[in-house]
Amino acid sequence: MAIVTYDATGKPQIKRVEAFCEVRKGQIPNINETFRGILDALDNAVKTACPDVKQGALSNCHGDWYEWMIACVAWNFRLTNNKKPLALLLPNVSRFDVASLYVSELHDHISDLRKKVSDTAGVQLITSNPDFVVINPEDLHLGDSLNTPITEFTESTIAKLQESYKDFQGKCLFNNIIAYLSVKASFRPDRRLQIPHEGSLMKATYIHLQTREWIINPRGLKYYAAASKVGKADRDALKTVATHSITNVQSLPQAAVDEVFEINTLEQAHTAFAEILVD
C-alpha cells in the first residue's frame, strides 16, 4: 500500500490514514507503548519509504494520528468500564458547526446570539471546534455501532471514530453535552492561548443557553485539555479564568480549562477518561 503520493509539482504528500494503518499493521495502542514513541515510529517509517518527506509534513500529521489514538482508547474505555458518556471526535469548524449537535430550539438560540452580537456590535462570535465532545446519551438512542469495541485500526474504523458525532447531530438536549476536550500532540505557545479562549467561549455559550431556557442548577459544562507532554509552564498558562464568570459578582469565577492531562501512555489515558466520562 502506498503511504506517500506526489502532487502535480512533485512534492510528496503523506496519505495519513493509509500510512497510519500500514505502519501500525492495524494495532491499537497497548500497555507497553508510549504515544510519542508511536509517533516517532510513524515518522521513521514514512521517512524510510520516502526520504523526500520533510519533518514539517510529518508534524502536520501528528495531530490527526494522536487524536485517532486518543479517540480509540476513549471508545474502548467507555465500553470496558460501563461508562455512559461518549468522547467523540469533531471535525474542524470549517466543516461542522458544533452548535448543530443541539436540537433545533437550542441551535436557534446560539444562532440568534451570533446574529445579535454581529448586528449590535459589528463583531463576530468566533471560535474553533474542540477536538472532542463528551455526550451523555441519556434518553437518546444509541445504534449498535456505538457499542462495538474497536479492535484494530483500518480505514473503516478510523472513519467510524471521525464520523460518529453525526449520530447526534440535531439530537442533543441541554443536558446531553457535558464536556469538551482539546488534545494536542504537543503544546506550543499559540495553543496555550487557543485552548482557554475556546473553553471560555464554550462555557459562555452554555450559560447563554441556560439563561434562555430558564434552567435552574444545571450540571455545568467541563472543558479539558490534554497533550503527550505537559510541563509546569503549560499548566500555568492554562490556569485562565473563564471571562464570563468574572462579570457577575453573584457567582464564583470559573476556570476556562478544568483539568489538563498528560496522555502519553495507555494508563494515563485511562486515568484521564475515568475523570472525563462521568455520568
Side-chain angles (χ1 to χ4, degrees):
M1 179 189 297
I3 62 175
V4 177
T5 187
Y6 291 86
D7 64 16
T9 66
K11 183 178 179 181
Q13 304 288 318
I14 301 169
K15 301 173 74 173
R16 300 187 183 200
V17 175
E18 291 85 346
F20 187 75
C21 295
E22 176 68 18
V23 173
R24 290 294 297 167
K25 304 300 181 187
Q27 184 182 27
I28 64 176
N30 64 57
I31 197 69
N32 297 316
E33 297 179 294
T34 66
F35 294 146
R36 285 295 339 165
I38 291 172
L39 294 177
D40 289 343
L42 285 161
D43 285 358
N44 292 334
V46 173
K47 287 179 182 177
T48 298
C50 182
D52 295 335
V53 170
K54 304 299 184 184
Q55 185 58 48
L58 289 163
S59 296
N60 288 337
C61 295
H62 287 176
D64 283 341
W65 291 341
Y66 185 65
E67 286 179 12
W68 297 341
M69 290 188 284
I70 298 295
C72 178
V73 173
W75 186 285
N76 290 335
F77 179 85
R78 166 185 167 260
L79 297 175
T80 302
N81 292 272
N82 296 316
K83 299 284 187 178
K84 285 183 182 178
L86 304 94
L88 301 176
L89 272 171
L90 291 172
N92 62 43
V93 70
S94 65
R95 291 175 48 213
F96 179 70
D97 176 8
V98 67
S100 298
L101 290 169
Y102 283 117
V103 294
S104 59
E105 181 180 0
L106 298 179
H107 184 204
D108 289 346
H109 288 332
I110 296 174
S111 297
D112 182 56
L113 173 63
R114 291 169 176 165
K115 184 177 186 303
K116 286 178 178 175
V117 165
S118 177
D119 290 347
T120 59
V123 295
Q124 302 295 315
L125 180 58
I126 297 173
T127 182
S128 52
N129 276 358
D131 298 304
F132 289 82
V133 61
V134 182
I135 296 175
N136 186 335
E138 185 176 5
D139 298 326
L140 299 178
H141 173 70
L142 293 185
D144 291 339
S145 66
L146 292 172
N147 291 317
T148 304
I150 291 175
T151 58
E152 62 179 340
F153 283 126
T154 64
E155 291 186 33
S156 63
T157 58
I158 289 175
K160 182 177 180 177
L161 290 172
Q162 290 183 305
E163 297 176 7
S164 287
Y165 74 91
K166 294 179 181 178
D167 288 1
F168 296 95
Q169 190 170 357
K171 298 178 182 178
C172 292
L173 299 172
F174 181 76
N175 288 324
N176 288 129
I177 297 179
I178 60 175
Y180 295 104
L181 169 65
S182 176
V183 304
K184 308 298 176 188
S186 62
F187 281 138
R188 298 193 310 253
D190 60 323
R191 289 170 177 166
R192 293 177 187 164
L193 295 174
Q194 173 198 346
I195 290 170
H197 170 72
E198 191 174 85
S200 187
L201 280 181
M202 290 298 168
K203 290 188 175 187
T205 302
Y206 179 87
I207 295 299
H208 178 75
L209 291 179
Q210 177 196 347
T211 303
R212 292 289 295 266
E213 291 292 300
W214 286 87
I215 296 173
I216 307 300
N217 296 322
R219 167 186 184 135
L221 181 77
K222 296 290 187 181
Y223 189 94
Y224 302 102
S228 63
K229 184 177 181 180
V230 181
K232 183 178 184 301
D234 300 316
R235 296 188 185 278
D236 289 343
L238 294 173
K239 287 181 179 177
T240 304
V241 69
T243 309
H244 73 277
S245 69
I246 61 173
T247 63
N248 186 348
V249 297
Q250 295 177 332
S251 62
L252 293 174
Q254 297 178 20
V257 180
D258 292 281
E259 185 60 76
V260 183
F261 299 101
E262 181 172 289
I263 301 181
N264 191 38
T265 66
L266 200 60
E267 183 178 5
Q268 288 176 328
H270 288 172
T271 298
F273 286 110
E275 179 171 340
I276 293 170
L277 301 183
V278 177
D279 294 353

